[in-house]
Amino acid sequence: MNLSSSPSTGPLPTHQAAPLAVQGPLPVSAPAASFIGPHHFVHRPETPEGFLLAATPPGRHRFRFSAELPERHPLFADSTVPFHDLLYPLESLRQMGTFAAARYFRVPENRRILLADCALAITALTPWQRTPEATRVALDLELTPTDVVKGVPRTMDCRAAISIEGTECGTVGARLVFLMPGVYRKHRGHSRRESERTAHGHSGLPAGHGVPEPELVGRRTARNVLIGLPLEEDEESLTFPVDIPAAREVLPDSGSEVPAALFLEASRQAALFGVGELYGLAPGHAVLTDWASAFRGFAEPGLPLHCSLRPRPGGTPGEVRRDAAGRPVADLGLTFTQGTRVVADVTTSVLQIC
């Protein structure tokens, strides 16, 4: 469970963001562009009355997000494989959903926004390959408010088809929950107390603990390595410490909570390291083809966070399946814990690029 407040904390320099193409009467800050870069976000109502945001009950709305995929970003362009980063469309969806909640769905500014679950999948791999030319990505979004009370939704389903240069090549989805301040404080306090009962120490790596070489976790730069070497390992599982302070330096929305993007990036790094250790694959030549996570409460930024990796239930340790092209695929399950408390469950598949 990962919270953020409004995705924008104020105006950004003009060289960082392009104007958003939005319509309607409600003044709401635009999404922050310091992480996702210049972009356009267009409301595409299905009916004329869909433009009358203050006069119609909240229902499903369609939007289109478009941007140029970053080629020189310190994180997105730091991969060992020549593919665009899955974190980009997921973070774009989260920021657009957060923005639209206030702008189009009447969610009050004092609500805290919870990412309850999220998932993404590559449906065609070729469009994700980097090319020398600038490449554009588009998300065709459907945002559907649910559990509406007095015209204000308590949750919202966010779904999008991903296209790169006009070719549909993936899907991404998330469920947002909007918490009133008192409810947020109650849940956050409960999570903190539960974690503190069994999690002891600080949120960085254990003293003197080593980190993997960047290429073993799919990165080229040591700054972007967010996990330590395994604390525990056997033939079927690995357990890694997660370096929260390092993550807060390179990931978005590193405020008072653990940033939502940490769970994707840390689980990807653990999965890539794990396929080398458990399956003999080459981490520097592998890519995640799907990823899904469900969050359970809050992860506390000041406490140790661990990520345990194992074959997905039904899988055989050390054995991979083959995709339609005959390439090896490892299906994995990962669990994030603070002490004995589970804060997130993840499933993912790692494809070896042969």
Side-chain angles (χ1 to χ4, degrees):
M1 184 181 289
N2 305 285
L3 296 172
S4 66
S5 54
S6 170
S8 178
T9 56
L12 291 167
T14 56
H15 70 277
Q16 289 185 314
L20 287 169
V22 296
Q23 299 168 353
L26 303 177
V28 178
S29 298
S34 58
F35 196 75
I36 61 175
H39 54 272
H40 297 277
F41 187 53
V42 181
H43 184 210
R44 305 173 69 182
E46 298 175 313
T47 60
E49 58 268 24
F51 287 101
L52 304 176
L53 304 175
T56 57
R60 184 183 67 179
H61 283 264
R62 297 178 185 273
F63 301 85
R64 186 174 179 85
F65 167 90
S66 61
E68 189 174 293
L69 283 165
E71 294 293 341
R72 289 181 289 276
H73 193 278
L75 180 64
F76 295 142
D78 191 46
S79 175
T80 56
V81 293
F83 292 93
H84 296 289
D85 199 315
L86 288 179
L87 180 56
Y88 186 86
L90 180 61
E91 180 59 20
S92 299
L93 176 75
R94 189 194 64 80
Q95 285 204 26
M96 295 307 109
T98 300
F99 168 70
R103 179 66 175 78
Y104 296 97
F105 295 98
R106 309 175 185 172
V107 175
E109 290 186 0
N110 68 341
R111 297 295 194 268
R112 302 304 295 255
I113 298 178
L114 160 72
L115 185 62
D117 55 58
C118 51
L120 53 84
I122 291 177
T123 56
L125 188 60
T126 300
W128 290 88
Q129 290 184 292
R130 296 182 184 274
T131 63
E133 297 79 25
T135 305
R136 295 200 65 81
V137 64
L139 272 62
D140 289 306
L141 294 93
E142 289 187 358
L143 305 183
T144 306
T146 54
D147 194 13
V148 178
V149 178
K150 295 182 179 180
V152 177
R154 292 179 177 177
T155 61
M156 185 165 68
D157 289 327
C158 310
R159 298 289 179 265
I162 306 170
S163 300
I164 296 179
E165 290 297 325
T167 300
E168 191 167 315
C169 56
T171 60
V172 60
R175 183 164 57 94
L176 302 180
V177 178
F178 311 117
L179 297 181
M180 295 180 66
V183 176
Y184 164 76
R185 289 191 295 269
K186 179 180 178 180
H187 284 290
R188 182 74 189 274
H190 175 76
S191 291
R192 183 182 298 113
R193 289 190 296 272
E194 289 297 306
S195 289
E196 288 175 342
R197 288 200 305 176
T198 55
H200 306 288
H202 59 82
S203 60
L205 301 182
H209 195 77
V211 298
E213 293 296 324
E215 61 270 16
L216 296 180
V217 297
R219 293 298 181 188
R220 293 182 296 177
T221 305
R223 176 180 181 268
N224 291 326
V225 177
L226 306 185
I227 62 172
L229 291 169
L231 293 167
E232 301 174 9
E233 56 185 304
D234 55 38
E235 294 181 352
E236 297 185 7
S237 64
L238 301 168
T239 298
F240 304 87
V242 179
D243 193 344
I244 294 178
R248 289 160 69 87
E249 292 294 321
V250 300
L251 296 174
D253 281 349
S254 296
S256 61
E257 294 95 14
V258 174
L262 175 144
F263 294 94
L264 172 53
E265 184 58 29
S267 60
R268 172 170 48 191
Q269 293 187 13
L272 292 177
F273 187 96
V275 296
E277 294 289 303
L278 301 180
Y279 298 92
L281 303 183
H285 300 275
V287 62
L288 270 62
T289 55
D290 65 59
W291 181 91
S293 181
F295 301 103
R296 305 186 191 178
F298 298 84
E300 289 299 321
L303 295 174
L305 180 66
H306 293 152
C307 175
S308 297
L309 174 148
R310 65 202 176 280
R312 201 178 299 180
T316 302
E319 294 186 7
V320 297
R321 64 178 174 88
R322 300 280 171 171
D323 70 357
R327 298 171 297 193
V329 180
D331 297 317
L332 303 170
L334 303 98
T335 301
F336 288 85
T337 57
Q338 287 195 310
T340 59
R341 190 171 72 88
V342 175
V343 297
D345 286 311
V346 173
T347 59
T348 191
S349 296
V350 181
L351 170 69
Q352 178 77 73
I353 305 300
C354 300

